[in-house]
C-alpha cells in the first residue's frame, strides 16, 4: 500500500518565522476593547491564545501567570458564557 499523496496549495507563501502570528497572546500584545464585536470564531481563537499563554506563564514564570493574562482569560470566558446563555 502506498502512502497518501499530500497536495500543498500555494495561494500565498508561508509566513516567515518572524511574520508568523504567535499561538499565544502575551500581556504586552494588544487585546480587543470590545469582545462583543468579535465573531464566535475570533473569540474562540482569542481564548485559545490566552490559554496557551497562561500555560506558558505557569511553566516558565516562578511567580506564576501575569495578572493581565488571568484578567483577559476571565473577560473572554465571561463573553463566551454570555453567548452560550443567549
Amino acid at each position: 500500500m502506498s502512502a497518501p499523496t499530500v497536495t500543498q496549495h500555494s495561494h500565498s507563501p508561508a509566513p516567515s518565522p518572524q511574520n508568523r502570528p504567535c499561538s499565544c497572546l502575551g500581556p504586552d500584545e494588544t487585546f480587543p476593547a470590545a469582545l462583543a464585536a468579535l465573531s464566535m470564531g475570533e473569540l474562540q481563537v482569542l481564548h485559545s491564545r490566552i490559554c496557551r499563554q497562561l500555560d506558558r506563564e505557569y511553566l516558565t514564570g516562578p511567580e506564576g501567570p501575569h495578572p493581565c493574562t488571568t484578567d483577559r482569560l476571565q473577560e473572554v470566558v465571561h463573553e463566551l458564557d454570555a453567548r452560550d446563555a443567549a
Side-chain angles (χ1 to χ4, degrees):
M1 193 180 252
S2 63
T5 304
V6 177
T7 305
Q8 292 185 346
H9 300 281
S10 59
H11 297 295
S12 60
S16 67
Q18 298 85 359
N19 297 333
R20 185 176 302 142
C22 183
S23 63
C24 301
L25 183 72
D28 57 339
E29 295 180 65
T30 58
F31 184 75
L35 295 178
L38 299 178
S39 70
M40 183 57 114
E42 291 170 326
L43 190 60
Q44 290 169 333
V45 168
L46 183 62
H47 179 262
S48 176
R49 290 183 69 201
I50 293 169
C51 287
R52 287 183 52 79
Q53 179 66 28
L54 189 64
D55 288 345
R56 176 184 281 178
E57 291 173 3
Y58 271 120
L59 292 171
T60 61
E63 65 280 347
H66 193 283
C68 181
T69 304
T70 56
D71 290 347
R72 287 175 170 186
L73 181 60
Q74 286 182 326
E75 288 182 51
V76 171
V77 167
H78 177 72
E79 179 64 26
L80 285 168
D81 288 346
R83 290 185 188 196
D84 285 344

